[in-house]
Amino acid sequence: MSEKKLMYGADALLMALKQLGIDYIFGNVGTDFPPIIASLSRFQQQGKLGVDVPMPMTIPHENVAINMANGYYLATGKPQVIFVHTNVGTANALMGIINANRAQIPMIVIAGRAPVTEQHDHRSKPGFIHWGQEMFDQGGIVRENVKWDYQISSDNVFEIDLILKRAVQMATSYPQGPVYLTFVPEVVDRQFEMSTTIQPALQNTEPQPDPAAIVRLAEWLAHAKRPLLITGGTSRDERILPALVSLVESKTVPITALLQRSIHFPFQHELYLGNNPHASLPDADLVISLETDVPYMPLHARPSDGCRVVHVGPDPVFQRYPRRGHQSDLNITSGIIPFLNALEKAVPTPKASMAQSRKVWAKEKRQSKEDKRARQVSRSQENDVMNFGWISHCIAELATQHNDLVVLREFDLDADFLPNDQPGSYYSLSNAGGLGWGLGNALGVRLAQPDKIPLIATGDGCYYFGNPTAAHSVAASQNLPFITVIYNNGKWATVANHTNRWYADLEEPEPPLTSLGQYSDFHKVCEAFGGYGEMVTKPSELLGALERAVTAVKNNQQALINVIVDSPIVRGEVH
C-alpha cells in the first residue's frame, strides 16, 4: 500500500498525471478550473512546476491545444493531456477529438463541469454561466468519438490515482485513442486521504497474429505473381518503417498507399508505387491492407476476380465505422510489428524469376506516377503558372537540402514528390479529415523536438480552421517557430471539384458556397506576431522564399509563405 495523506483533490490529480508520465498540460480553461489553477500556483511558488506536476501551457484556443497534444504525441509516442472548459471548451476541442479517434492517438481530455451546487458554500455556482453550462450528460458530447469517459465526483475522488491510471490504460490499449474525463470543481477543492504515489500504468502489449492465419497468408504470398501491400500509416510506431522495408525487399512485394499518415515506407523506394492504390489494384492477385481503414475506394477501382484481400491491424474490421464493405478474404488481428516479423519468417524468398517479374510490374506502375509529376512541374515552368505540383516539388527540394525538416501535410501537398525515408520525418492529417489540424501539430512537434523545423503544408481553407491567431500567438510566446506554406487558391476547391464531377453539365467553375473571395494576405497575420511573411506568385521565386523561411526559423522567428495558386476546376476522376 502506498502512503496516504490529507491533500486537495486538485493536487492529487496533477501529481498523478506527472507520475503517469505526462510532461505538459495543454490548457484552455475556464471558471470550472480555479481549484486546479490554485494548485498549480502552489506548486509554482514551491518551484515544482514540471517537477512534481506537469508543466502547464496556456493555449488561446482548444483546437490549437488539442492539435499541439497530437503533434507532441507524434514526435514522442507519449500520451498527452488537454484541459478544456466544461461543455463549451469540449465543443471547441471536438474536431481534434474526432481526428484523434480515427487516427488512434492516445490522449486524455479533461474538462470541468459547472459547479453542481447552488447555495452550499462559496464554491456553489458563482457565475451566471454555471446554470447554462450544466448538462445532464456532458460526456455525451464526445462519447461516440472516445474510447472511455468518466467523472471524478465526491463518491470516488479519494481514488483519483486509480481513475487516472485507468484513463491512461484505456487511451493506450490497442487500438489506441482519446478518452474523456470530467471533474466536479467543488470536489477537487476539498481535502481527502489520498495516495501520494501511484504505480505506473501497465504497458499494453500489442496483439499477436494467429499462427494459422500467418501460414495461410504466407502460402498465398509465396504464389502471388502481383502481390500488393497497402498501408495507411495510422500508427506512428517508428519501428514499422525498417520492418516493412525488410519484408518488402526480401520478398519483393510492391507497396502503395492511399495516403500515409505517418511515414511507413520511403516515398522514393523502387518498390513504392506512390499514393494511388487504384492504379495498381486491378492488376493485383493478392492485396494485404495494413491498418488501413480505406485501402481503396470501390468507386475508383476494385480487386479483380480471383484476387484475395487481407486486412491486418489491432482492429482489422474497424468496428467503430458504421459502413466498411471492402472485400475481405482474411482478417488478422495483430499489431503491425508482430505481423511483419511473423510474415517475413514464414514466407520463402521468391525465385529470381518471380522477384524480377514483380519488380518489372512495380517499375511500370512507378513510371506512370513519375510521368504525372514531371507533367505538373513542366507545365508550371513552361507556362510560368503556379500549380500544386510545383509547390510540392519545391517543398521536396527543400526537404532534400534540410534533413532537419519535418514535413506535415494537411492538404494539397503531393507526398509522391517528397524524398522522405526516415521515421518521424513526415505526418499527415487524420483520416477523419477534420481541418485545422496542421498549425497545432507543427507547434507540438517543435515543442517535442526543438532541433527540428516543422513545415506545415496546408490550404487557405484549412488555415482558417486552424485558429491562426491563436497558433501564431503560441509560436511567439513560447518560442516555437515553424514554417507554414499555404496553397492559396481562394476557394474550397475540393468541394467545387466534387460538385462538378457529380454534375458535369453545370459548367460552373465556381459553384455557390465554394468561393473564399479574393486571395488573402495571410503572411501579414504571421507578421503581426513577429513572424516572417512573404507572398509568392511566380514559380521561379518559390524555392528562394522557402529558403528564407528556413533561415527565419533558425533565427527563432516563425515564417509563413503565402503561395498564390492557379487552381483550375477538375472534372475527371480524383483519388
Side-chain angles (χ1 to χ4, degrees):
M1 295 289 291
S2 63
E3 180 187 348
K4 291 189 175 184
K5 73 173 186 178
L6 192 67
M7 58 193 304
Y8 287 101
D11 292 350
L13 185 151
L14 293 168
M15 292 173 64
L17 290 176
K18 182 64 178 178
Q19 292 178 42
L20 287 167
I22 304 301
D23 298 320
Y24 290 96
I25 292 167
F26 301 95
N28 188 291
V29 301
T31 53
D32 45 341
F33 272 85
I36 306 292
I37 296 171
S39 176
L40 288 168
S41 298
R42 289 191 292 269
F43 283 107
Q44 184 177 44
Q45 290 163 5
Q46 298 165 16
K48 293 184 177 180
L49 283 186
V51 180
D52 288 356
V53 299
M55 182 64 70
M57 296 193 71
T58 304
I59 313 300
H61 195 280
E62 293 87 351
N63 195 39
V64 177
I66 200 163
N67 284 315
M68 277 190 74
N70 197 109
Y72 195 91
Y73 163 76
L74 291 175
T76 65
K78 298 175 67 174
Q80 299 302 306
V81 166
I82 305 93
F83 282 176
V84 297
H85 172 45
T86 62
N87 58 347
V88 289
T90 300
N92 274 347
L94 185 55
M95 180 75 79
I97 294 172
I98 292 170
N99 278 335
N101 176 45
R102 292 307 194 211
Q104 300 178 15
I105 304 291
M107 59 174 62
I108 304 165
V109 181
I110 299 180
R113 288 189 53 187
V116 295
T117 58
E118 292 186 300
Q119 51 188 342
H120 179 65
D121 58 25
H122 69 279
R123 292 165 288 211
S124 299
K125 296 191 187 299
F128 74 95
I129 60 171
H130 297 137
W131 279 265
Q133 289 179 346
E134 187 169 12
M135 299 184 69
F136 291 109
D137 182 16
Q138 187 171 307
I141 301 175
V142 301
R143 190 160 296 130
E144 188 169 345
N145 293 286
V146 297
K147 295 181 62 180
W148 174 86
D149 70 281
Y150 196 68
Q151 176 177 290
I152 298 169
S153 67
S154 58
D155 295 328
N156 56 38
V157 66
F158 48 86
E159 291 190 333
I160 202 168
D161 57 328
L162 300 181
I163 294 170
L164 289 166
K165 191 157 85 169
R166 175 67 170 168
V168 171
Q169 288 177 332
M170 289 299 295
T172 56
S173 64
Y174 293 92
Q176 298 181 327
V179 300
Y180 184 69
L181 183 64
T182 60
F183 64 87
V184 175
E186 302 103 307
V187 170
V188 297
D189 191 39
R190 295 179 185 143
Q191 292 184 317
F192 301 86
E193 285 282 339
M194 286 183 284
S195 299
T196 57
T197 59
I198 62 174
Q199 296 299 317
L202 294 175
Q203 295 297 310
N204 295 295
T205 58
E206 291 182 277
Q208 303 295 306
D210 176 8
I214 292 294
V215 169
R216 186 190 308 179
L217 177 55
E219 177 72 13
W220 291 351
L221 182 54
H223 293 91
K225 295 180 179 179
R226 293 179 299 280
L228 184 66
L229 273 164
I230 300 178
T231 179
T234 292
S235 172
R236 55 81 56 204
D237 189 336
E238 296 188 354
R239 300 172 300 163
I240 292 176
L241 190 149
L244 197 48
V245 168
S246 179
L247 173 68
V248 165
E249 290 181 345
S250 64
K251 311 306 177 186
T252 318
V253 184
I255 181 170
T256 183
L258 189 59
L259 179 67
Q260 293 193 56
R261 265 80 74 173
S262 291
I263 182 168
H264 280 186
F265 201 81
F267 291 127
Q268 302 307 324
H269 193 284
E270 66 173 351
L271 289 172
Y272 185 61
L273 311 185
N275 289 301
N276 182 9
H278 306 106
S280 309
L281 185 66
D283 299 330
D285 56 0
L286 174 65
V287 173
I288 304 172
S289 172
L290 294 176
E291 198 186 36
T292 304
D293 56 344
V294 184
Y296 59 89
M297 290 177 280
L299 182 66
H300 300 307
R302 304 182 192 188
S304 62
D305 292 342
C307 176
R308 294 186 175 102
V309 179
V310 181
H311 298 269
V312 183
D315 177 18
V317 299
F318 292 87
Q319 299 173 57
R320 297 299 300 273
Y321 284 48
R323 293 292 306 273
R324 189 176 182 272
H326 297 80
Q327 177 184 333
S328 179
D329 298 282
L330 179 64
N331 293 321
I332 300 178
T333 300
S334 175
I336 300 302
I337 290 295
F339 168 78
L340 293 174
N341 292 340
L343 185 62
E344 184 169 0
K345 290 177 182 177
V347 178
T349 300
K351 294 180 179 179
S353 58
M354 176 176 280
Q356 183 60 28
S357 176
R358 291 177 180 178
K359 286 183 178 179
V360 169
W361 180 59
K363 185 176 181 180
E364 291 173 356
K365 296 303 179 183
R366 274 188 60 83
Q367 190 61 52
S368 63
K369 177 192 79 166
E370 291 167 0
D371 290 346
K372 176 185 174 184
R373 285 168 43 198
R375 285 194 301 271
Q376 289 180 297
V377 169
S378 63
R379 190 180 304 127
S380 180
Q381 291 176 313
E382 292 169 5
N383 301 326
D384 196 29
V385 172
M386 193 78 73
N387 61 27
F388 288 174
W390 179 255
I391 305 173
S392 300
H393 164 75
C394 289
I395 291 174
E397 289 293 307
L398 192 74
T400 301
Q401 299 299 319
H402 300 277
N403 59 13
D404 54 354
L405 204 69
V406 177
V407 179
L408 296 100
R409 177 197 183 276
E410 183 160 23
F411 225 72
D412 299 321
L413 172 67
D414 186 346
D416 283 344
F417 283 84
L418 296 176
N420 299 54
D421 60 2
Q422 294 300 311
S425 64
Y426 167 88
Y427 302 106
S428 183
L429 173 67
S430 159
N431 34 342
L435 303 183
W437 172 92
L439 301 178
N441 270 266
L443 288 166
V445 169
R446 179 70 196 216
L447 178 65
Q449 299 178 320
D451 58 333
K452 299 291 187 180
I453 301 176
L455 181 151
I456 172 62
T458 189
D460 48 343
C462 302
Y463 184 71
Y464 284 120
F465 276 118
N467 306 100
T469 55
H472 292 309
S473 172
V474 173
S477 65
Q478 302 293 334
N479 192 26
L480 298 172
F482 65 96
I483 300 171
T484 305
V485 179
I486 299 179
Y487 291 58
N488 186 353
N489 59 5
K491 55 177 169 275
W492 296 116
T494 302
V495 180
N497 291 341
H498 278 282
T499 301
N500 282 291
R501 285 188 197 98
W502 285 20
Y503 307 101
D505 57 338
L506 286 179
E507 297 184 357
E508 174 55 63
E510 205 167 81
L513 298 178
T514 62
S515 174
L516 295 176
Q518 292 296 315
Y519 300 124
S520 300
D521 291 343
F522 294 122
H523 53 292
K524 294 182 180 179
V525 180
C526 183
E527 290 173 352
F529 290 91
Y532 175 80
E534 186 172 346
M535 177 184 281
V536 179
T537 59
K538 294 185 178 298
S540 60
E541 298 172 351
L542 180 55
L543 192 54
L546 292 173
E547 286 288 358
R548 287 188 287 276
V550 169
T551 299
V553 170
K554 288 185 175 181
N555 291 325
N556 290 321
Q557 185 182 27
Q558 61 182 308
L560 188 151
I561 306 302
N562 183 16
V563 188
I564 306 303
V565 188
D566 179 62
S567 176
I569 293 298
V570 178
R571 296 184 186 278
E573 280 192 355
V574 68
H575 307 308

